[in-house]
């Protein structure tokens, strides 16, 4: 493979014309917003994602088939998130797959399983039985009681089919009809009228039940949420909060947290990762490390870390950036030199144990080896990627793309220079420095970790320089010098800007939208509650459910108010 | 034809295993295609009106001009190095120079976004929240692409409206979506050949009577689904209604196509005798080393779909504008996007880019060979096919949208001048799209953004 060694960043004429300078976001120092008593947000009918479809089918019919994951095209993504209202939509292919999935699902409903769904004991399903099925299963599928016209459509389907194919098969076809109906595939939120005072539409209890369950469980409401909705008891903040806290206690909330973090942190790119440098590293039982197994182990390690921190420890943002915990399997234990600790504990079913690393070497998410390996090149660390990652994902400050004439290829490793020295050449170039001051000042601070996420103090015998400097953060106290990832993480752990950024990321995931001006007041409510909880991450999720954006929507044209 | 056999090290084993699977897709006689063209599902096409087919091909991040543009004149041209694989089909290839993506001057978005959105739609992007650096935001393309317009023009005449094939086309956003059913409604490619195969032969098992019963059940279910859409419709906001209406139309069209296929297979004379090839099996389709194999399988499936008249419209998407992938079998292992930013003085990088471009041309030549092996009337399916190949920028290191690297291939049923090197004077590519649509018999005088949609490309039409 040919790769040039130097002239990493060269700038052609006209940089200023190509570059860009605006950051389209509010500044941290802006005064507190004056908000109306109710600040509704836009809403739209969200199409179920693959995860949501599979979970909903499992909860609705007791069938865990994972068909959407196998059959449906991948969602389009915005800012890493796959549940975006605007981006995720139906296509001719997905419409075929909805049909195929519905047929496959009812094929899996054999006589016994069908009997479990049916409200009648009769071997032959008659019209009365079918009507009850339509009302009960239909209500769960549509996540609200059926309107008379909707039920009539399904009764017609049953009647026609029953005459030809018998009651049981007709019931299966009714289920196919439910699974392909827009009321199942989408989550329309169009009921209700705006109140006179606020001009906002308060979502009804069924709509709130769905919002809660899809946000916190990635699935349809359970019996308790339906019961609360039946009594119209998801109206007040107290009622919603009680349900949100209940849902957060379930293992399903952990599943959602992992889904969110995979999208926020880009962990989906972990699959197939190739990182060099494991030759000669052996596990305790003298096995050479298999590098093809590392990506899955890194992913699992980060996921254990997050789940433990957020749910078992009820951790905060501060904990997220200071915890020294690391989950390792046999290979990771060998790679990170914690075999003794690994050996001394009983592992989980898939072979992981939790160990504590040195406070001098590790602090929180940013020093998780899997994340550092993800943010690396195959043969060396990637200070630029790491810097951009912190700026964009942790600080919510997007970095402009380099001008097209910039050669973005990483310089080749050189035994006479550290990675930093090789990458630093471009910051000396005036045209590059304006952006790279922001990126490199952070990225070089993570140079104590190689492409495998291992801690190091030297490269080729040359001491590592992990000094860094944060510039142009919106929060003034973040700016300034630091030395090493532990110090950087300490800055982030105490940062209001990081708290704000996390709130935004969860908000995007919860609402399926990228925030706009309409969301500013809701975000302010969420941030205030999040901060008041000491930055507790579970409390952040509760705060999202209590925000105006979660409970009130802007009226649509059909509501007669524009 | 290039093979995927150059992979080294660990990857080679996987490729080898996958290659053996490819043998499964081949019939006893060798290539899977080369089947005689069978009866059309739709209205019978007489000899005077051959079935015309359209394939759009995309590869990312532009080209290297010196290796791409031919030298010489309109008819005595000599291919540049990158396009030499097309030499066997020289009489059915035209290289078009001097055509700009002028529409990229309009609307929001970064250069890759605008290029992807406008390439086959001739349209600007909508406002939206997809990012492309610089905090620049954009939405989807603001109109349909010509493949979908042609599919619409054909109506319900084949079992599938169109076939979107991806070869590591993983960017599920505006920089990875070139094909649109309508404004804001992209059509995604399928990267897994096994999934393509399943889609093509979905429901083809079972005896004809069973398939008629199945269709009857589907009809009842889908009619109820249509009724549910209608029932929900009045309660929706305008934005929701637009999305759900689009969905409802897709359900209706699917039902009509299913009816068509069921009728064809359930008649007294089994008309559709298109043999179903074996399942290609599970392939590591997102593996760098598998890419050449996946490309070949996908194009075999496309040729088969044409041969069986399962569809007349296809697209082949290589990677995406993000293109963060290597071509390891060419010894080019780094991100292609990063590579494309190298300057013209960087000879090593230019060599890698040329090798990649040449490989792309080999893929086109492979598809052409497959289509040319399917006899149709006096010639081959290739003679009645238009393949249009483009990229979202012209040169990666400046993101230019002038002198776009367009290649037309196939016989175009005699409607377009082929075997030419045609030079234009900076005309908007909307005219090229108009000419292609007209060559297919769609009959339009403008296409895409109104500022640029002025007539066809004079000089191209035969």
């Amino acid at each position: 493979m040919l790769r040039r060694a130097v002239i990493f960043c060269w700038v052609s004429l006209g940089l200023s014309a190509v570059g860009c300078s605006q950051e389209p976001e509010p500044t941290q120092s802006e005064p507190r917003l004056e908000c109306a008593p109710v600040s509704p947000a836009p809403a739209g009918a969200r199409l179920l994602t693959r995860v949501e479809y599979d979970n909903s089918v499992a909860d609705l019919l007791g069938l865990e088939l994972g068909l959407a994951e196998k059959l449906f095209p991948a969602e389009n993504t915005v800012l890493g998130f796959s549940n975006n209202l605007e981006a995720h939509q139906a296509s001719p292919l997905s419409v075929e797959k909805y049909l195929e999935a519905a047929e496959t699902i009812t094929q899996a409903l054999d006589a016994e399983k069908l009997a479990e769904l049916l409200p009648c004991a009769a071997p032959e399903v008659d019209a009365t039985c079918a009507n009850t099925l339509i009302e009960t299963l239909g209500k769960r599928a549509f996540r609200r009681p059926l309107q008379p016209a909707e039920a009539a459509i399904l009764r017609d389907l049953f009647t026609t089919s029953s005459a030809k194919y018998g009651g049981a098969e007709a019931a299966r076809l009714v289920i196919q009809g439910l699974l392909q109906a827009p009321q199942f595939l989408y989550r329309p939120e169009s009921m209700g009228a705006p109140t006179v005072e606020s001009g906002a539409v308060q979502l009804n209890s069924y709509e709130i039940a769905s919002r809660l369950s899809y946000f916190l469980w990635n699935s349809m409401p359970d019996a308790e949420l339906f019961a609360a909705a039946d009594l119209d008891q998801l109206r007040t903040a107290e009622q919603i909060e009680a349900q949100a806290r209940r849902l957060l206690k379930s293992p399903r909330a952990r599943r959602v947290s992992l889904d969110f973090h995979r999208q926020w942190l880009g962990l989906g790119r972990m699959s197939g990762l190739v990182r060099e440098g494991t030759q000669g590293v052996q596990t305790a039982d003298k096995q050479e490390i298999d590098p093809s197994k590392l990506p899955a182990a890194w992913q699992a390690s980060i996921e254990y870390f997050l789940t433990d921190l957020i749910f078992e420890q009820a951790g905060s943002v501060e904990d997220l950036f200071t915890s020294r915990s690391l989950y390792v399997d046999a290979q990771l234990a060998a790679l990170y030199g914690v075999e003794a600790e690994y050996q001394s504990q009983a592992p989980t079913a898939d072979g992981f144990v939790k160990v504590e690393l040195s406070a001098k070497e590790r602090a929180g998410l940013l020093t998780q080896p899997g994340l550092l390996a993800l943010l690396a090149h195959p043969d060396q660390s990637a200070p630029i990627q790491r810097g951009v990652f912190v700026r964009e994902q942790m600080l919510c400050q997007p970095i402009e793309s380099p001008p097209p004439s910039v050669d973005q290829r990483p310089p080749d490793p050189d035994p006479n220079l550290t990675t930093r020295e090789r990458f630093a050449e471009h910051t000396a170039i005036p045209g590059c420095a304006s952006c790279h001051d922001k990126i490199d000042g952070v990225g070089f601070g993570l140079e104590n970790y190689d492409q495998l996420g291992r801690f190091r103090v030297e490269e080729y015998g040359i001491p590592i320089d992990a000094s860094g400097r944060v510039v142009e953060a919106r929060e003034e106290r973040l700016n300034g010098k630091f030395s090493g990832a532990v110090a950087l993480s300490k800055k982030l752990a105490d940062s209001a800007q990081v708290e704000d950024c996390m709130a935004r990321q969860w908000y995007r995931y919860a609402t399926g939208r990228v925030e706009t001006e309409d969301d500013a007041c809701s975000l302010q409510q969420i941030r205030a509650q999040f901060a008041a909880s000491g930055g507790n991450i579970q409390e952040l999720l509760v705060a999202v459910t209590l925000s105006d954006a979660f409970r009130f929507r802007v009226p649509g044209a059909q509501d007669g108010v524009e | 034809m290039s093979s995927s056999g150059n992979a080294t090290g660990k990857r080679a084993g996987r490729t080898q295993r996958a290659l053996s699977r490819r043998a499964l897709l081949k019939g006893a006689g060798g290539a899977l295609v080369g089947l005689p063209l069978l009866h059309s599902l739709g209205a019978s096409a007489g000899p005077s009106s051959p079935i015309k087919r359209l394939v759009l091909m995309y590869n990312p991040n532009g080209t290297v001009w010196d290796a791409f543009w031919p030298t010489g004149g309109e008819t005595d041209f000599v291919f540049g190095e990158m396009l030499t694989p097309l030499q066997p089909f020289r009489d059915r290839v035209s290289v078009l120079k001097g055509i700009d993506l002028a529409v990229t001057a309009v609307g929001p978005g970064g250069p890759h976004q605008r290029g992807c959105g406008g390439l086959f739609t001739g349209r600007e992007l909508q406002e939206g929240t997809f990012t492309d650096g610089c905090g620049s935001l954009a939405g989807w393309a603001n109109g349909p692409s010509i493949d979908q317009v042609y599919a619409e023009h054909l109506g319900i005449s084949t079992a599938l409206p169109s076939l979107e094939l991806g070869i590591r086309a993983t960017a599920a956003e505006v920089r990875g979506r070139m094909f649109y059913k309508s404004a804001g409604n992209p059509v995604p490619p399928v990267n897994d050949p096994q999934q393509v195969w399943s889609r093509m032969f979905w429901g083809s098992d079972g005896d004809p009577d069973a398939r008629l019963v199945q269709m009857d059940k589907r009809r009842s279910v889908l009619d109820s689904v249509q009724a549910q859409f209608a029932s929900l419709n009045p309660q929706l906001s305008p934005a929701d209604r637009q999305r759900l209406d689009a969905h409802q139309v897709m359900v209706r069209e699917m039902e009509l196509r299913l009816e068509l296929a069921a009728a064809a297979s359930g008649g007294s004379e089994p008309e559709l005798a298109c043999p179903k090839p074996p399942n290609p099996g599970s392939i590591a389709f997102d593996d760098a080393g598998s890419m050449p194999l996946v490309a070949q399988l996908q194009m075999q499936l496309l040729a088969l779909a044409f041969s069986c008249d399962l569809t007349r419209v296809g697209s082949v998407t290589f990677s995406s504008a993000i293109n963060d992938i290597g071509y390891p079998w060419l010894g080019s292992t780094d991100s292609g996007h990063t590579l494309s930013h190298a300057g013209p003085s960087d000879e090593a990088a230019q060599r890698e880019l040329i090798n990649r471009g040449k490989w792309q041309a080999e893929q086109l030549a492979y598809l052409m060979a497959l289509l040319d092996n399917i006899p149709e009337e006096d010639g081959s399916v290739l003679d009645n096919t238009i393949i249009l190949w483009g990229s979202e920028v012209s040169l990666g290191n400046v993101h230019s949208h002038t002198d776009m690297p367009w290649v037309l291939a196939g016989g175009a049923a005699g409607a377009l001048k082929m075997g030419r090197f045609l030079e234009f004077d900076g005309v908007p590519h909307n005219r090229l799209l108009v000419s292609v649509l007209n060559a297919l018999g769609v009959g339009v005088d403008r296409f895409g953004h109104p500022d640029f949609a002025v007539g066809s490309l004079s000089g191209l039409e035969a």
Side-chain angles (χ1 to χ4, degrees):
Chain A
M1 176 183 64
L2 290 168
R3 233 172 25 187
R4 287 182 328 152
V6 285
I7 318 293
F8 171 68
C9 171
W10 61 271
V11 180
S12 70
L13 297 172
L15 170 68
S16 57
V18 183
C20 47
S21 53
Q22 84 282 11
E23 269 189 25
E25 358 136 26
T27 60
Q28 187 70 21
S29 57
E30 78 184 293
R32 194 177 161 76
L33 291 166
E34 291 297 323
C35 293
V38 176
S39 305
R46 291 166 67 178
L47 180 61
L48 297 186
T49 62
R50 288 172 296 169
V51 168
E52 289 169 342
Y53 181 98
D54 281 336
N55 289 340
S56 299
V57 168
D59 289 344
L60 183 68
L61 302 171
L63 292 173
E64 300 210 11
L65 301 174
L67 287 173
E69 191 59 39
K70 277 184 218 147
L71 297 175
F72 296 1
E75 298 82 11
N76 298 311
T77 58
V78 169
L79 293 176
F81 293 112
S82 61
N83 61 3
N84 185 278
L85 172 69
E86 174 193 345
H88 174 44
Q89 46 181 285
S91 65
L93 176 62
S94 69
V95 167
E96 288 170 27
K97 296 303 174 185
Y98 296 144
L99 171 58
E100 187 179 347
E103 291 180 349
T104 310
I105 286 163
T106 55
Q107 272 163 22
L109 286 174
D110 55 22
E112 193 183 329
K113 292 208 180 72
L114 186 64
E116 287 169 19
L117 294 172
L118 288 170
C120 48
E124 273 304 305
V125 187
D126 62 12
T128 313
C129 176
N131 290 349
T132 313
L133 175 77
I134 287 165
E135 297 296 335
T136 54
L137 192 68
K139 175 179 169 184
R140 294 181 62 233
F142 291 5
R143 300 164 291 252
R144 58 165 171 75
L146 267 59
Q147 295 168 7
E150 293 166 341
I153 291 163
L154 293 161
R155 283 199 303 271
D156 284 352
L157 172 59
F158 178 83
T159 307
T160 316
S161 310
S162 177
K164 284 190 249 181
Y165 305 114
E169 183 64 8
R172 289 191 182 92
L173 297 181
V174 164
I175 292 170
Q176 287 183 22
L178 286 171
L179 293 175
Q180 292 178 79
Q183 296 91 335
F184 172 73
L185 291 172
Y186 291 84
R187 294 193 276 136
E189 295 171 334
S190 39
M191 304 297 169
T195 60
V196 179
E197 311 88 67
S198 66
V201 182
Q202 181 172 11
L203 295 175
N204 71 36
S205 286
Y206 289 107
E207 290 166 343
I208 289 290
S210 275
R211 280 200 172 193
L212 281 168
S213 67
Y214 280 98
F215 172 42
L216 295 173
W217 280 5
N218 267 342
S219 190
M220 59 177 281
D222 67 347
E224 194 166 335
L225 276 171
F226 270 114
D230 286 342
L231 298 168
D232 198 15
Q233 285 179 352
L234 293 170
R235 285 273 174 185
T236 68
E238 292 72 26
Q239 290 166 339
I240 293 171
E241 180 174 352
Q243 288 294 338
R245 292 191 183 286
R246 179 179 73 84
L247 299 185
L248 273 173
K249 289 200 180 81
S250 161
R252 294 171 166 221
R254 302 175 181 212
R255 184 173 76 184
V256 166
S257 161
L258 294 182
D259 187 55
F260 164 79
H261 284 97
R262 278 182 209 127
Q263 297 178 32
W264 174 33
L265 304 176
L267 301 183
R269 293 185 292 119
M270 193 75 91
S271 161
L273 210 65
V274 176
R275 295 291 176 261
E276 298 166 7
T278 57
Q279 297 91 334
V281 183
Q282 292 190 335
T283 60
D285 53 354
K286 303 291 177 212
Q287 296 291 309
E288 183 95 359
I289 285 188
D290 177 355
S292 72
K293 295 207 170 98
L294 287 175
W298 282 324
Q299 170 120 7
S301 171
I302 293 175
E303 293 185 354
Y304 271 121
F305 170 80
L306 290 166
T307 300
D308 178 60
L309 187 134
I310 296 169
F311 293 97
E312 297 296 334
Q313 315 295 328
S316 65
V317 176
E318 184 179 351
D319 300 323
L320 185 68
F321 288 99
T322 55
S323 163
R324 295 182 286 115
S325 300
L326 174 69
Y327 279 83
V328 291
D329 63 3
Q331 292 210 108
L332 297 183
L335 200 53
Y336 303 114
V338 288
E339 279 128 321
E341 296 89 329
Y342 175 74
Q343 299 285 347
S344 66
Q345 297 178 60
T348 60
D350 52 348
F352 281 81
V353 304
K354 180 182 180 181
V355 300
E356 295 292 308
L357 299 177
S358 155
K360 289 188 178 138
E361 298 180 6
R362 304 279 171 174
L365 179 64
L366 269 190
T367 61
Q368 283 287 304
L371 188 64
L372 291 159
L374 182 68
L375 301 169
H377 299 291
D379 54 355
Q380 57 184 325
S381 64
I384 311 297
Q385 283 183 37
R386 290 174 179 178
V388 169
F389 176 84
V390 171
R391 300 290 312 203
E392 296 194 334
Q393 302 306 325
M394 303 294 147
L395 301 181
C396 289
Q397 285 187 291
I399 294 285
E400 41 280 45
S401 290
S405 59
V406 171
D407 188 344
Q408 299 170 29
R409 287 171 294 162
D412 278 331
D414 177 342
N416 299 312
L417 294 170
T418 62
T419 306
R420 178 175 191 147
E421 287 165 334
R422 288 180 290 112
F423 276 81
E425 293 189 17
H426 62 274
T427 45
I429 300 167
C432 297
S434 63
C435 287
H436 277 283
D437 281 349
K438 286 187 260 181
I439 301 168
D440 303 11
V442 175
F444 285 149
L446 301 175
E447 267 301 286
N448 281 128
Y449 309 89
D450 68 7
Q451 72 274 10
L452 291 161
R454 289 180 301 197
F455 188 81
R456 61 184 180 183
V457 293
E458 57 174 40
E459 258 186 304
Y460 312 115
I462 312 167
I464 294 277
D465 173 5
S467 61
R469 190 165 72 101
V470 180
V471 296
E472 294 183 45
R474 289 200 307 273
E475 184 182 28
E476 195 43 52
R477 57 188 289 209
L478 273 178
N479 291 323
K481 292 182 178 173
F482 66 91
S483 181
V486 173
L488 173 63
S489 292
K490 178 140 185 42
K491 273 178 183 273
L492 301 181
D494 295 336
S495 160
Q497 183 174 344
V498 171
E499 249 181 38
D500 169 63
C501 184
M502 266 193 84
R504 278 170 195 261
Q505 305 282 5
W506 271 107
Y507 187 82
R508 290 169 185 169
Y509 182 77
T511 60
R513 295 185 298 108
V514 177
E515 70 279 4
T516 66
E517 289 170 1
D518 293 335
D519 302 289
C521 283
S522 285
L523 278 166
Q524 180 166 279
Q525 295 164 358
I526 293 165
R527 277 203 304 269
Q529 197 176 332
F530 187 27
S533 75
N536 182 290
I537 296 166
Q538 287 190 59
E539 292 301 315
L540 166 60
L541 306 200
V542 174
V544 168
T545 68
L546 299 178
S547 67
D548 283 354
F550 200 86
R551 300 176 56 204
F552 299 90
R553 68 174 173 85
V554 178
Q558 86 286 9
D559 297 321
V561 177
E562 265 306 276
Chain B
M1 196 55 246
S2 91
S3 80
S4 54
N6 294 335
T8 54
K10 283 195 81 67
R11 298 265 182 231
R14 188 175 285 186
T15 307
Q16 220 52 51
R17 276 199 303 283
L19 271 172
S20 68
R21 286 220 167 80
R22 177 170 136 232
L24 290 176
L25 251 191
K26 289 185 168 182
L32 142 87
V33 291
L35 304 162
L37 184 68
L38 298 157
H39 295 277
S40 157
L41 286 176
S44 62
S48 57
S49 58
I51 295 169
K52 294 179 184 174
R53 301 172 189 82
L54 174 65
V55 179
L56 302 179
M57 182 170 135
Y58 165 84
N59 82 301
N61 303 157
T63 192
V64 177
W65 279 357
D66 286 348
F68 181 85
W69 299 120
T71 53
E74 180 173 337
T75 52
D76 65 350
F77 68 90
V78 176
F79 281 122
E81 180 188 352
M82 228 184 238
L83 299 186
T84 48
L86 302 175
Q87 187 64 33
F89 298 102
R90 193 180 182 285
D91 61 330
R92 280 171 289 180
V93 171
S94 282
V95 182
L96 312 178
K97 192 176 180 182
I99 299 175
D100 301 343
L101 284 193
V103 72
T104 56
V106 188
H112 290 295
Q113 293 178 322
R114 293 171 191 228
C116 287
L119 193 62
F120 296 115
T121 68
R123 286 277 179 178
E124 78 288 5
L125 297 173
Q126 300 173 333
E127 303 291 335
T129 50
F130 293 112
T131 52
D132 188 17
C134 293
S136 71
L137 296 170
W140 300 116
N142 199 23
S145 50
I146 53 170
D147 55 317
Q148 296 302 308
V149 170
Y150 184 47
E152 178 94 29
H153 169 81
L154 290 171
I156 309 295
S157 51
T158 55
L160 294 170
S162 58
L163 205 50
E164 283 70 39
L165 305 164
I167 294 116
R168 302 198 78 199
T170 49
E173 50 124 304
V174 68
R175 285 171 294 179
R177 293 287 178 265
M178 276 58 67
F179 310 105
Y180 287 82
K181 192 163 165 59
S182 58
N185 189 214
V187 196
V190 179
N191 290 312
D192 180 359
Q194 183 173 231
Q195 284 254 13
V196 176
W197 175 89
S198 305
R199 189 179 183 209
M200 284 169 58
F201 298 101
W202 178 39
S204 66
D205 296 324
D207 65 79
D209 287 346
R211 295 193 60 191
L212 287 179
V213 168
Q214 182 188 47
M215 187 61 229
D216 185 62
K217 291 178 182 176
R218 283 178 174 173
R219 191 179 300 127
S220 300
V221 170
L222 292 174
D223 286 351
S224 88
V225 171
Q226 295 281 348
Q228 298 290 14
F229 271 101
S231 163
L232 187 61
N233 187 291
Q235 302 162 32
L236 297 172
S237 71
D240 285 347
R241 185 173 300 138
Q242 194 180 1
R243 280 153 32 87
L244 269 70
D245 279 351
H247 188 151
Q248 185 180 3
V249 167
M250 293 179 218
V251 174
R252 185 160 54 235
E253 289 179 359
M254 173 182 67
E255 185 177 351
L256 292 172
R257 289 178 197 282
L258 290 169
E259 293 275 14
L260 190 73
S265 69
S268 51
E269 289 178 48
E271 232 185 310
L272 185 72
C274 186
K276 178 180 174 180
N279 187 330
S282 174
I283 293 158
F285 58 88
D286 198 28
D287 218 78
S290 302
M291 195 167 163
L293 167 68
V294 170
Q296 293 199 352
L297 283 175
Q298 297 283 50
M299 286 186 283
Q300 286 183 30
L301 288 164
L302 180 59
L304 184 65
F306 282 176
S307 160
C308 298
D309 204 28
L310 293 173
T311 188
R312 298 166 190 178
V313 184
S315 62
V316 186
T317 303
F318 287 88
S319 187
S320 71
I322 295 169
N323 195 25
D324 216 4
I325 62 174
Y327 283 29
W329 64 96
L330 299 175
S332 180
T333 51
D334 279 355
S335 152
H337 187 189
T338 303
L339 191 67
S340 77
H341 283 264
S345 63
D346 184 344
E347 288 179 18
Q350 298 304 311
R351 173 45 46 197
E352 275 188 65
L353 288 167
I354 292 167
N355 290 347
R356 286 183 181 227
K358 192 172 172 186
W359 183 81
Q360 295 293 158
E362 285 170 3
Q363 306 316 301
L364 174 57
Y366 181 72
L367 176 62
M368 293 178 78
L370 291 172
L371 298 179
D372 203 32
N373 277 338
I374 309 170
E376 182 168 54
E377 288 147 24
D378 297 334
S380 71
V381 165
L382 181 64
D383 295 327
N384 294 319
T385 299
I386 297 178
I387 306 173
L388 179 61
W389 174 25
S391 188
E392 90 286 2
V393 294
S394 178
L395 294 174
N397 72 321
V398 285
H399 286 168
S400 52
H401 288 125
T402 54
D403 278 331
M404 300 299 291
W406 289 110
V407 173
L408 262 178
L416 299 174
K417 284 183 189 166
M418 302 306 292
R420 311 296 174 97
F421 171 37
L422 295 169
E423 297 191 68
F424 300 90
D425 185 20
V427 297
H429 86 297
N430 300 64
R431 294 186 181 213
L432 169 62
L433 302 180
V434 167
S435 289
V436 169
L437 285 173
N438 285 338
L440 294 163
V442 178
V444 294
D445 57 8
R446 54 188 55 243
F447 186 74
H449 191 286
D451 290 358
F452 310 97
V454 278
S456 60
L457 195 57
S458 59
L460 179 61
E461 285 155 18

